[in-house]
Amino acid sequence: RMEPNGAIADDYYQRAIASDPDNSFPWFARCHRLMGLGDFAEAKHAGEQALRLRPDDRDIEQRLLRIRLALGEHAAVESEVRKLLQTDPTNLQLHMRLLSTIAAQGRLSELQLAHNAFELAVQLEIPLDPLDYIGHSARRVAYSRQDFETVLQLTHDLKDESLRGPLLVEPLLELGR
């Protein structure tokens, strides 16, 4: 993944895959590189190969979901994410992906419903919500609605002070401050 020359990097990936066809890493590394280049169709293929070799790897699964969103597979990704959330309802990454798919389809009125369901699941399973999953979800909903004043306020309200500074950049930029 560290080779800046694309042709040489591709050769490395192909040689690594040929030498150990059961190793998911060269496929995943190739997927990462292609995604960064915006070649989402090829990145999807590489990601699918990596996931075939490591079907329980959440990192590969999440990367593949992001690629599929970039390819416009919103409805299919939404369906799959909803299915995954049935067994892991407090998974913040999956929930954020769900919010992204809903927003990408222009169904902004449904964002609050998804947030409310997630909030209830977190309250039931993680009562103190030490990582502030609910706050992050609320920020994403407000951001998707382009309500940057609310994003700013929710960022100030985050429990983890170390996150406030870095997360303040987005709403401040959007508000032109």
Side-chain angles (χ1 to χ4, degrees), residues 96 99 115 134-145 147 150-152 154-156 158 166-171:
M96 295 299 220
L99 294 178
H115 168 76
I134 295 168
H136 289 294
S137 173
R139 284 182 77 256
R140 178 64 63 93
V141 169
Y143 193 89
S144 295
R145 290 184 172 150
D147 181 357
T150 299
V151 174
L152 187 61
L154 290 167
T155 304
H156 282 294
L158 287 173
L167 291 177
L168 281 171
V169 172
E170 283 180 328

Side-chain angles (χ1 to χ4, degrees), residues 120-137:
L120 180 61
V122 169
Q123 287 172 343
L124 292 173
E125 290 191 27
I126 316 168
L128 297 178
D129 189 17
L131 299 176
D132 207 4
Y133 284 7
I134 295 168
H136 289 294
S137 173

Side-chain angles (χ1 to χ4, degrees), residues 10-28:
D10 280 338
D11 181 55
Y12 287 158
Y13 295 133
Q14 295 307 325
R15 289 183 6 206
I17 290 165
S19 71
D20 186 1
D22 294 329
N23 182 357
S24 67
F25 182 76
W27 284 112
F28 185 66

Side-chain angles (χ1 to χ4, degrees), residues 94-109:
L94 285 174
H95 173 68
M96 295 299 220
R97 191 73 57 230
L98 176 64
L99 294 178
S100 294
T101 61
I102 292 170
Q105 295 173 81
R107 299 183 356 242
L108 300 182
S109 62

Side-chain angles (χ1 to χ4, degrees), residues 38-54:
D39 188 348
F40 298 114
E42 283 299 313
K44 179 182 176 186
H45 171 72
E48 287 171 338
Q49 294 305 313
L51 192 59
R52 178 182 59 80
L53 294 167
R54 292 188 63 162

